[in-house]
Amino acid sequence: MSLVQVNFVSKKLTRAVTFNAIIPMKSDQPLKTLYLLHGAVGDHNDYLNETRIKRWALEKNLAVIMPAGENNFYIDQAFKNEYYGEFIAEELVAFTRKMFPLSNRREDTFIAGLSMGGYGALVNGLKYHETFSRIGAFSPGTFLTQLWDNPQSLADRRMFSLAFFDAIFNDISTIKDSDRDYYYLTDQLIAKKVEMPSIYLPIGKQDFLLENVRDFYHEIKNKPIDIDYIEDEGGHDWEFWDRHLKKFIDWLPLESSQEELHSGNVSM
């Protein structure tokens, strides 16, 4: 297994960017790949520092790409000339497929994230449904209805200020019926009768986003969407995300890898 940190100049963001990559080495086939998005106030090192993602990637022969998304919710921001959605789902996918032996098949390509990254995985997984076949949205920021109807309440519930959301979305009134609106994206895909990604959606029973995620699930559960919704013990924290990252990887269509040499299995 190789752990690589890469810096390159992104045309979509017009500046240098960084991502981490876990690349299993013992495979004679193109690798299935997970693009894994961190949460707000985090960075591309979060999963390496807080979860056992390296072990699971090795066990399942899964390449994992972990980009830095800053606090921008992984959406296109034309008003700032920064296109995070296009960066994640187009530029980063193309760049990593050229750099590493990754599969270019939809059925081998997945996207997931937690909190802010869960929102980013959801909207980009739906928008770029021809690229991603499965979505993992862990404790996602599915609070758009609340943001439209009662935005001050978000600031009162451990959330960011309204100025923060305005800086991200420019004008929160423009989100509805746009490619940043997961309800709109879902309805568009259903109307077009295209193959929609399957969704793994876990939320902690002690998470402050529980009601938001529950409302989102109840809104879409009767639509023709393959979704696994789980309410489990836990909060908005790494203990919960570490556990469900493992469950998500087990949920993906992966096979266990052949044993690869590492420090835990060297005989002396």
Side-chain angles (χ1 to χ4, degrees), residues 76-83 166-171 180:
D76 295 335
Q77 299 167 306
F79 63 98
K80 295 199 299 185
N81 196 36
E82 292 186 338
Y83 297 86
D166 279 332
I168 299 301
F169 295 103
N170 192 28
D171 178 353
R180 297 164 292 170

Side-chain angles (χ1 to χ4, degrees), residues 4-241:
V4 184
Q5 186 171 101
V6 180
N7 297 294
F8 76 103
V9 175
S10 164
K11 294 180 180 179
K12 298 298 184 181
L13 300 179
T14 61
R15 56 182 171 78
V17 296
T18 303
F19 69 87
N20 287 322
I22 300 171
I23 308 296
M25 303 301 290
K26 200 175 181 85
S27 177
D28 56 2
Q29 299 292 328
L31 293 165
K32 297 184 179 183
T33 311
L34 170 62
Y35 292 85
L36 191 55
L37 312 182
H38 65 76
V41 306
D43 67 15
H44 53 286
N45 295 311
D46 278 7
Y47 290 99
L48 295 175
N49 293 333
E50 304 291 348
T51 76
R52 294 165 285 177
I53 186 60
K54 288 190 293 183
R55 178 192 302 179
W56 301 324
L58 180 61
E59 289 177 353
K60 295 294 188 178
N61 211 43
L62 175 69
V64 184
I65 309 298
M66 296 162 283
E70 301 173 358
N71 282 343
N72 288 286
F73 278 74
Y74 306 97
I75 59 171
D76 295 335
Q77 299 167 306
F79 63 98
K80 295 199 299 185
N81 196 36
E82 292 186 338
Y83 297 86
Y84 280 88
E86 292 182 10
F87 164 67
I88 294 295
E90 294 181 352
E91 187 175 28
L92 184 65
V93 170
F95 184 88
T96 52
R97 284 176 174 175
K98 289 179 181 179
M99 187 171 190
F100 305 115
L102 309 182
S103 172
N104 60 9
R105 302 195 311 168
R106 175 184 184 269
E107 56 265 38
D108 295 339
T109 308
F110 323 114
I111 189 169
L114 62 87
S115 195
M116 177 189 78
Y119 167 86
L122 191 59
V123 295
N124 287 298
L126 293 170
K127 181 179 178 181
Y128 295 95
H129 59 278
E130 294 180 343
T131 299
F132 304 107
S133 62
R134 300 213 175 194
I135 298 169
F138 316 132
S139 317
T142 52
F143 46 70
L144 290 185
T145 300
Q146 189 176 5
L147 190 60
W148 297 323
D149 296 343
N150 189 10
Q152 184 56 50
S153 65
L154 289 179
D156 295 338
R157 290 172 53 214
R158 292 177 52 190
M159 303 296 285
F160 297 98
S161 67
L162 297 184
F164 172 83
F165 289 111
D166 279 332
I168 299 301
F169 295 103
N170 192 28
D171 178 353
I172 59 176
S173 67
T174 65
I175 303 171
K176 193 173 182 62
D177 296 333
S178 76
D179 62 4
R180 297 164 292 170
D181 177 356
Y182 34 76
Y183 294 123
Y184 172 80
L185 289 167
T186 301
D187 289 341
Q188 288 293 301
L189 295 186
I190 293 172
K192 294 176 181 177
K193 298 182 179 180
V194 300
E195 186 174 5
M196 190 176 299
S198 300
I199 301 172
Y200 179 85
L201 180 66
I203 182 68
K205 294 179 181 178
Q206 290 75 45
D207 195 313
F208 69 99
L209 288 176
L210 174 61
E211 292 303 322
N212 299 103
V213 176
R214 186 180 283 166
D215 289 346
F216 167 70
Y217 172 66
H218 286 310
E219 181 70 24
I220 69 170
K221 68 178 182 179
N222 294 322
K223 297 180 179 181
I225 303 170
D226 180 17
I227 184 167
D228 281 10
Y229 175 69
I230 301 105
E231 290 187 12
D232 193 7
E233 295 300 321
H236 203 76
D237 54 46
W238 283 106
E239 181 179 353
F240 180 85
W241 297 323

